[in-house]
Amino acid sequence: MVTIKDVAAHAGVAFKTVSRVVNNDPTVKPKNREKVLKAIEELGYRPNRAAQMTRRKKSGVIGFIADELLRVPYTFDLIRGAQDLAWKHDKELMVLNVNVNKYSVEGAVNHLFEHRVEGIIYAAMYHREVSLPLQFKEVPTVLANCYDSYGRYPSIVPDEKEAAREITASLIGKGYKRIAFLNLNENIIAAKLRKEGVEQAFINANINLDNLLVESVIFGEENNERSVTRSRAEDIIKNFKPDAILCGQDPMAVEVYFVVQALGLKVGKDIGVGSFDDWDIIPTLLQPELTTMALPHYEMGQWAFNCLLEERTEPVKETARFTLNSRQSF
Amino acid sequence: MVTIKDVAAHAGVAFKTVSRVVNNDPTVKPKNREKVLKAIEELGYRPNRAAQMTRRKKSGVIGFIADELLRVPYTFDLIRGAQDLAWKHDKELMVLNVNVNKYSVEGAVNHLFEHRVEGIIYAAMYHREVSLPLQFKEVPTVLANCYDSYGRYPSIVPDEKEAAREITASLIGKGYKRIAFLNLNENIIAAKLRKEGVEQAFINANINLDNLLVESVIFGEENNERSVTRSRAEDIIKNFKPDAILCGQDPMAVEVYFVVQALGLKVGKDIGVGSFDDWDIIPTLLQPELTTMALPHYEMGQWAFNCLLEERTEPVKETARFTLNSRQSF
DNA sequence: CTGAAAGCGCTTACAG
DNA sequence: CTGAAAGCGCTTACAG
């Protein structure tokens, strides 16, 4: 590989001058700069990052630990959010996928430390509490889509309650006044907060809570969940007779659409359907297209990266707002 | 940060001895090894990768250029395949997301060169031909899920024809003998090859080709495609009266399920449905669950990585076999 | 089995 | 504005 010295020899200057040109030092005579630039071009020189890092004693690397992240497609926006900013600020984003069976969190952190990361973003697959090993204290750390048990790090999570309030208010605003909310597994924090948000919307609109049915249709432990969406949706439509169904996640909405059609009803006409996530292509694959609250993954990824960039370390717990993607299902 | 010299001082040996222990050199006296290990533990020493790279003149980094990869969730397995092997062989996989608007391929390659990558995997979002800039010739390059116009690099693509033959033969084996194949956009290579495979299965089974209908239901240019799946499926079921429908991708199958149900028929009973991709959760979200040919993304990612590891550079064009995921839709 | 010297490709700190 | 020296944290090559 061609080095700074090769370029210097080719250009007829000291190698330090080449270094100056590469680093945009303005104190180089235009004539010399030109000679160097020409030599760089002709020789195809590219600075050696490892050597730069060694001497500078700064790595320019931010670590991104993705906790089981990639099992759910849309969570990838968390990485994208951080990645786009990293590129912009000429930083390297080193993404490590962690899951129980393969790469332990400790292993990932050690790996990142060997690269002398300047900060770490720890992101979870779904909104939840995590307890991180003490190692993280050695370097600035920010949590995205999760928060730590002891509140030791800055963290950002989706504003579940406000999202639930907003979409419910939107339903109510369009005249729906008897709503069934098929909630996520009651073990997860999102289920609890969303229930509060939905109820809040009813209270704000002065509608009797008798017109609201909230029921978890996903059960079981992580990695071994089962859904009773179809059977419960059918039963609820028949007996509770809601004029709208709110689903805890878009895949549930697919099932609800099938149930509604099987009962001879039409989504968006006989019954409104709303949902959460904006899961990949599901919302636009359905007909009518699904109105859903899009998770703010991209924004959370960006917020986390900015937090590190600005060297903020106060253990704030920030929330990010969902976006209402209005389509035709209600 | 603590260095090799700090450890040496703490352990009372020469710093070269610490280097030997860190690099598992067997010629260190057990007693000294122990002292060094203890010092490393106590001081929390971690080798500095950048310094190692600089001196070794080997980066241990493999570049992975993902061409628009992340718009389709399951393609992520391409990265995972390479990633898992990288971890195993103690290499770094540097993943760069490329798309026309943001990071050009040239920019990505330059970036990788600054890190002195030992090889590059170039992966495409869908099976297609690509033409890479000449820069790639400077370093071993392997293509995954695509092949280059001039056949200059080793590449691996899904075996579309065999997959189509296999699932069609499977349908025929279960007694289906009048099949409609709703194909992908006819502009893409997969559509052409799969059509051949489906026809081959008919020929092998001695079934008259009058019982096969192949029709593209996706039109338009890349990034601006439209699907006529629903209307065409309905029309074909009514008029061609197939006993099975084969879909070019799983999202199509979702639409076909809705059409079948609307016509008062049952998938898996009145009409068989098969598909391609194994797209995220779609196959198991449907009821009955969808039988589909799973794309070999993980395997292609692994093959590409191994190719670089074994320093194979002959421009072979390898194919990877799909896996038939049998469920209940036929 | 161990160590002192030299060097990787660069940047820092300083002299002119 | 330019350059010669020193040094980043390691490994290589060699001597003992």
Side-chain angles (χ1 to χ4, degrees):
Chain A
M1 267 290 171
V2 15
T3 73
I4 216 173
K5 292 189 182 176
D6 299 327
V7 176
H10 193 85
V13 296
F15 71 87
K16 178 69 252 228
T17 302
V18 178
S19 171
R20 286 201 173 88
V21 172
V22 169
N23 291 287
N24 292 315
D25 185 327
T27 72
V28 178
K29 231 193 329 193
K31 187 140 189 186
N32 278 336
R33 174 180 306 280
E34 248 174 66
K35 281 200 290 187
V36 170
L37 253 18
K38 186 153 165 284
I40 286 176
E41 175 73 23
E42 284 173 12
L43 267 45
Y45 168 76
R46 293 184 191 86
N48 182 324
R49 294 265 190 167
Q52 290 179 322
M53 287 176 185
T54 305
R55 187 62 251 250
R56 283 182 185 150
K57 308 195 71 175
K58 273 194 292 179
S59 69
V61 179
I62 300 290
F64 190 111
I65 299 183
D67 173 5
E68 275 286 2
L69 206 67
L70 302 165
R71 266 184 20 206
V72 181
Y74 56 83
T75 53
F76 199 78
D77 283 333
L78 269 163
I79 299 180
R80 223 185 310 238
Q83 183 75 72
D84 286 355
L85 283 180
W87 190 273
K88 198 170 138 192
H89 293 280
D90 201 29
K91 299 271 183 190
E92 206 66 46
L93 193 76
M94 185 170 286
V95 180
L96 259 41
N97 217 349
V98 160
N99 60 48
V100 181
N101 303 320
K102 279 189 198 137
Y103 323 128
S104 75
V105 175
E106 277 90 1
V109 176
N110 272 321
H111 191 90
L112 293 176
F113 281 168
E114 293 190 358
H115 285 273
R116 300 295 187 264
V117 286
E118 296 168 1
I120 297 182
I121 297 172
Y122 184 97
M125 179 177 66
Y126 67 93
H127 180 175
R128 63 187 182 83
E129 182 176 310
V130 296
S131 48
L132 299 185
L134 275 167
Q135 294 172 291
F136 283 92
K137 269 293 166 204
E138 293 181 44
V139 72
T141 297
V142 177
L143 310 190
N145 208 29
C146 54
Y147 56 97
D148 99 294
S149 323
Y150 307 103
R152 291 176 297 196
Y153 309 100
S155 65
I156 187 162
V157 295
D159 192 342
E160 310 285 356
K161 183 171 174 181
E162 168 59 16
R165 192 209 55 74
E166 182 178 349
I167 193 167
T168 307
S170 178
L171 279 162
I172 292 171
K174 295 209 176 175
Y176 297 96
K177 40 173 75 91
R178 190 168 170 84
I179 298 175
F181 177 29
L182 306 183
N183 208 349
L184 296 171
N185 196 317
E186 63 182 8
N187 296 331
I188 75 175
I189 185 76
K192 179 174 163 287
L193 295 171
R194 288 181 187 174
K195 183 180 179 189
E196 293 173 15
V198 170
E199 288 172 350
Q200 188 63 55
F202 267 71
I203 292 165
N204 293 350
N206 271 316
I207 304 182
N208 194 306
L209 285 173
D210 290 348
N211 291 302
L212 171 65
L213 181 152
V214 180
E215 185 176 322
S216 283
V217 294
I218 294 183
F219 298 94
E221 295 303 306
E222 199 174 353
N223 294 321
N224 188 25
E225 290 186 324
R226 64 187 191 286
S227 154
V228 295
T229 305
R230 293 207 189 206
S231 60
R232 292 307 301 140
E234 183 175 346
D235 185 69
I236 287 168
I237 292 171
K238 284 181 182 161
N239 298 307
F240 181 71
K241 302 192 199 310
D243 51 22
I245 295 182
L246 182 58
C247 301
Q249 54 184 14
D250 295 342
M252 262 186 211
V254 176
E255 302 195 84
V256 167
Y257 270 56
F258 276 113
V259 169
V260 167
Q261 185 179 53
L263 291 173
L265 303 171
K266 288 223 181 303
V267 169
K269 212 174 131 211
D270 305 310
I271 191 161
V273 175
S275 182
F276 294 87
D277 285 358
D278 217 32
W279 183 305
D280 188 28
I281 58 166
I282 287 181
T284 54
L285 189 59
L286 292 172
Q287 286 190 12
E289 295 186 356
L290 179 66
T291 296
T292 192
M293 296 298 300
L295 277 159
H297 283 129
Y298 188 84
E299 294 76 7
M300 292 194 292
Q302 290 205 312
W303 185 89
F305 191 90
N306 271 327
C307 216
L308 291 176
L309 214 60
E310 295 163 9
E311 302 183 20
R312 298 171 49 192
T313 49
E314 341 82 71
V316 293
K317 189 173 171 189
E318 186 78 24
T319 52
R321 289 194 63 156
F322 289 62
T323 305
L324 177 63
N325 280 356
S326 275
R327 290 185 271 247
Q328 295 82 43
S329 63
F330 75 79
Chain B
M1 266 291 170
V2 16
T3 74
I4 216 173
K5 292 188 181 174
D6 299 326
V7 176
H10 194 85
V13 296
F15 71 87
K16 178 70 250 230
T17 301
V18 178
S19 171
R20 286 202 174 88
V21 172
V22 168
N23 291 287
N24 291 316
D25 186 326
T27 71
V28 178
K29 232 194 327 194
K31 188 139 187 187
N32 278 337
R33 175 180 306 279
E34 248 173 67
K35 282 201 291 190
V36 170
L37 254 17
K38 186 155 165 283
I40 286 175
E41 176 73 22
E42 285 173 11
L43 267 46
Y45 168 76
R46 295 185 189 85
N48 182 323
R49 293 266 189 168
Q52 290 178 323
M53 287 175 184
T54 305
R55 186 61 251 250
R56 284 184 185 146
K57 307 195 69 175
K58 273 195 293 180
S59 68
V61 179
I62 299 290
F64 190 112
I65 299 183
D67 173 5
E68 274 285 3
L69 205 67
L70 302 163
R71 265 183 20 205
V72 181
Y74 57 84
T75 53
F76 200 79
D77 283 331
L78 270 164
I79 299 180
R80 225 187 308 239
Q83 183 74 75
D84 286 355
L85 284 179
W87 190 273
K88 197 170 137 192
H89 293 279
D90 201 29
K91 299 270 184 192
E92 206 66 47
L93 194 75
M94 185 171 286
V95 180
L96 258 43
N97 219 348
V98 161
N99 59 49
V100 179
N101 302 321
K102 279 191 200 140
Y103 322 127
S104 75
V105 176
E106 277 91 0
V109 176
N110 272 322
H111 191 90
L112 293 177
F113 281 167
E114 293 190 359
H115 285 274
R116 301 294 187 263
V117 287
E118 296 167 1
I120 297 182
I121 297 172
Y122 185 96
M125 179 177 65
Y126 67 94
H127 181 174
R128 63 186 182 83
E129 183 176 312
V130 296
S131 48
L132 300 184
L134 276 166
Q135 294 173 292
F136 283 93
K137 269 293 167 204
E138 293 182 43
V139 71
T141 297
V142 176
L143 309 190
N145 208 29
C146 55
Y147 56 97
D148 98 294
S149 323
Y150 306 102
R152 291 175 297 195
Y153 309 100
S155 65
I156 187 161
V157 294
D159 192 341
E160 311 283 358
K161 183 171 174 181
E162 168 58 15
R165 191 208 56 73
E166 183 178 348
I167 194 167
T168 307
S170 178
L171 279 162
I172 293 171
K174 296 209 175 177
Y176 297 96
K177 39 174 76 89
R178 190 168 170 83
I179 298 174
F181 176 30
L182 306 183
N183 208 351
L184 297 170
N185 196 317
E186 63 183 9
N187 296 333
I188 76 174
I189 184 76
K192 179 173 162 287
L193 295 172
R194 288 182 188 175
K195 183 179 179 190
E196 291 174 16
V198 170
E199 287 172 349
Q200 189 63 55
F202 267 71
I203 292 165
N204 293 350
N206 271 316
I207 304 182
N208 194 306
L209 286 174
D210 290 347
N211 290 300
L212 171 65
L213 181 152
V214 180
E215 186 176 323
S216 284
V217 294
I218 294 183
F219 297 93
E221 296 303 306
E222 201 174 351
N223 295 323
N224 188 24
E225 290 187 324
R226 64 187 191 284
S227 154
V228 293
T229 305
R230 294 207 187 205
S231 60
R232 292 306 302 138
E234 182 175 346
D235 185 70
I236 287 168
I237 291 172
K238 283 181 181 161
N239 297 308
F240 180 71
K241 299 191 203 308
D243 51 22
I245 295 182
L246 183 58
C247 302
Q249 54 184 14
D250 295 342
M252 261 186 211
V254 175
E255 302 194 85
V256 167
Y257 270 56
F258 277 112
V259 170
V260 168
Q261 185 179 44
L263 292 172
L265 304 171
K266 287 223 182 304
V267 170
K269 213 175 131 209
D270 305 310
I271 192 161
V273 175
S275 183
F276 293 86
D277 286 356
D278 216 32
W279 183 304
D280 188 26
I281 59 166
I282 287 181
T284 54
L285 189 59
L286 292 173
Q287 286 189 13
E289 293 186 356
L290 179 65
T291 296
T292 192
M293 295 299 300
L295 277 159
H297 283 130
Y298 189 84
E299 293 77 6
M300 293 194 291
Q302 290 206 310
W303 185 89
F305 192 90
N306 271 326
C307 216
L308 290 175
L309 215 60
E310 294 162 9
E311 301 183 21
R312 297 170 51 192
T313 49
E314 341 82 71
V316 292
K317 189 174 172 189
E318 186 77 24
T319 54
R321 290 195 61 157
F322 288 65
T323 305
L324 177 63
N325 280 354
S326 276
R327 289 185 271 246
Q328 295 83 44
S329 63
F330 77 78

